[in-house]
Amino acid sequence: MKEFIAKFEQHYGRKPAAASQAPGRLEILGNHTDYNEGFVLSCAVEQTTKFALYPVEGTRCRLIDFRSGAAMSFDLAEKEAAPAKDGSKYVKGMVLQLMQRGMSCTGFDAAIESSVPLSAGMSSSAALEVSAGLALMKVFNFNLSSADLARAGQGVENQYLGLKSGLLDQFSSIFGKKDSMILSDFRSVEVLRTAALPEGYSIVVINSMKKHNLVDSEYNVRRQDCEEAARIMSKLIPGAKTLRDISPEQLESARDQMDERVYRRALHVVGECARVMESIRLLEQQDVAGFGQLWFDSHQSSRENFENSTPELDYLVELARSIPGCLGARLSGGGFGGITIHLVKTADAELYAQRATAAYKARTGIEAQSIICAIGSGAELYHF
Ligand code: GLA
């Protein structure tokens, strides 16, 4: 953080008035369950996005991204026809969300530095929204609860950018706990408990390098299908509101009441909710093999039922079955590209990552990025 602040000072000729950082996240199990008010096992990563700013008079906001070197700007008073194409859209979106909630704000000079891989499924956008949100609230003397800050970040995606995503990304970035996965309930919007990774195991992240752009993907269509399934189920099961309320058996018994595609989408979500709960039981019993198998099962369901995988992600998961040391692998995050996560013996992790990326290169010609991911802390303000 000190280095980042020094860079800020060098660039703008003054120290920032506030600085913050927020991590990316990994979805461990619980794919597309968040907007169905279901359960997710996730964690924050050590890769973070830092944000610092200094308020200035007027309505002009300047931003410098130290990773890309891009200088960006926007005007608070300007209503543009469409959000900017660059990363400033997440910051402007967050400012607008906070203003909608009552924050008054002037222009500012701000800087961003990030180590979260972009468009990979590790929530680089949520990390920027949350980080910016924390520092903006500090400077403009405004306060929201952590859950409401997560909702403001979701508002950027839902209202400003048109992606009907759930709360998982911002929530994990805020509530992540160092060295622990968190089990979250997206109906009550709270962390139910934490769970450590099995002793001696690490998460290897492999980026397929096929960017996932959820706004242009079928993400919103998947959500519609889930809502359609919930609507049908709510007529059959008294009190059921979302897919979170449906058991695998209930869904099975209503199979002929819905379109086959809608059934498969629902089967994925209902199955994922069950797998999240099962994972907690297996972790308690230290059944690492069983825990890893759930990752494979989750991926298979993504591929067959939710159809949010790609040939590249499938190949990375297939490799996990043949390279020694790995107990489970799956796509993580929205899908349609991005990363896979692999549960690997820590002692084998480096060699595993090398072998997997070499095999991937041989098959696809693509140089995949791999990270042996440590579980990081949730977002925080920097105290000068
Ligand atoms: C994206 C969305 C999240 C969540 C995941 C899938 O990351 O932003 O809200 O739906 O996909 O679980």
Side-chain angles (χ1 to χ4, degrees), residues 25 27 30-35 165-169 214 219 333-334:
R25 64 100 190 88
E27 171 204 281
N31 190 241
H32 288 257
T33 54
D34 61 347
Y35 55 81
S165 52
L167 259 182
L168 171 67
D169 307 348
L214 294 184
Y219 186 100

Side-chain angles (χ1 to χ4, degrees), residues 27-339:
E27 171 204 281
I28 304 295
L29 280 170
N31 190 241
H32 288 257
T33 54
D34 61 347
Y35 55 81
N36 292 294
E37 298 187 350
F39 303 103
V40 187
L41 188 65
S42 68
C43 66
V45 293
E46 282 194 326
Q47 286 69 22
T48 64
T49 297
K50 298 185 175 73
F51 188 88
L53 79 157
Y54 195 92
V56 298
E57 268 178 33
T59 52
R60 193 96 207 131
C61 302
R62 291 192 296 169
L63 281 168
I64 171 83
D65 179 344
F66 292 135
R67 169 157 61 178
S68 64
M72 302 168 273
S73 68
F74 58 82
D75 198 302
L76 292 175
E78 250 166 48
K79 261 201 170 258
E80 64 287 275
K85 294 245 179 302
D86 57 34
S88 69
K89 65 185 174 204
Y90 301 110
V91 179
K92 177 151 192 192
M94 191 43 134
V95 172
L96 295 177
Q97 284 292 316
L98 294 176
M99 287 172 77
Q100 261 178 38
R101 287 166 170 77
M103 184 177 87
S104 45
C105 170
T106 64
F108 51 80
D109 286 342
I112 305 168
E113 174 116 276
S114 182
S115 53
V116 185
L118 288 174
S119 304
M122 289 178 76
S123 297
S124 54
S125 47
L128 177 53
E129 290 153 8
V130 169
S131 190
L134 278 178
L136 283 160
M137 291 200 299
K138 170 82 180 162
V139 166
F140 296 110
N141 214 359
F142 185 67
N143 204 18
L144 284 181
S145 71
S146 296
D148 282 342
L149 176 60
R151 287 189 184 97
Q154 183 191 24
V156 175
E157 304 287 342
N158 290 184
Q159 292 162 23
Y160 192 58
L161 303 174
L163 175 69
K164 300 289 173 212
S165 52
L167 259 182
L168 171 67
D169 307 348
Q170 296 80 5
F171 192 84
S172 308
S173 180
I174 293 171
F175 288 96
K177 290 263 169 314
K178 176 92 190 125
D179 294 331
S180 283
M181 298 179 286
I182 56 173
L183 168 66
S184 310
D185 178 339
F186 285 96
R187 170 160 286 161
S188 57
V189 188
E190 60 181 341
V191 176
L192 298 179
R193 56 169 289 175
T194 59
L197 257 194
E199 182 90 26
Y201 285 84
S202 297
I203 303 169
V204 176
V205 171
I206 306 188
N207 186 348
S208 70
M209 311 306 275
K210 291 277 180 173
K211 290 213 167 174
H212 88 157
N213 178 355
L214 294 184
V215 178
D216 297 334
S217 76
E218 297 215 354
Y219 186 100
N220 290 354
V221 182
R222 294 295 181 282
R223 183 168 181 161
Q224 272 169 22
D225 282 349
C226 291
E227 284 164 1
E228 165 74 358
R231 199 182 52 73
I232 295 167
M233 292 308 299
S234 69
K235 291 200 182 126
L236 304 171
I237 313 286
K241 290 201 189 80
T242 65
L243 290 179
R244 140 49 174 288
D245 302 310
I246 307 301
S247 70
E249 296 72 29
Q250 287 169 333
L251 181 67
E252 190 53 43
S253 68
R255 186 173 184 160
D256 57 0
Q257 310 275 317
M258 59 187 91
D259 187 274
E260 197 266 341
R261 186 194 73 242
V262 170
Y263 165 76
R264 281 189 288 114
R265 306 303 188 237
L267 182 60
H268 180 62
V269 171
V270 168
E272 282 294 283
C273 282
R275 280 186 281 277
V276 169
M277 287 320 190
E278 175 70 355
S279 74
I280 297 294
R281 199 181 63 76
L282 294 172
L283 285 168
E284 268 168 4
Q285 294 173 355
Q286 309 201 348
D287 182 348
V288 197
F291 179 57
Q293 183 57 45
L294 292 176
W295 295 31
F296 282 131
D297 296 347
S298 167
H299 187 79
Q300 190 175 339
S301 176
S302 266
R303 192 158 57 80
E304 291 171 1
N305 298 324
F306 214 66
E307 295 180 279
N308 61 335
S309 188
T310 63
E312 291 82 11
L313 296 172
D314 291 344
Y315 182 58
L316 287 170
V317 172
E318 195 186 309
L319 283 173
R321 296 182 188 274
S322 59
I323 304 175
C326 182
L327 293 191
R330 58 180 292 267
L331 70 80
S332 168
F336 308 104
I339 57 160

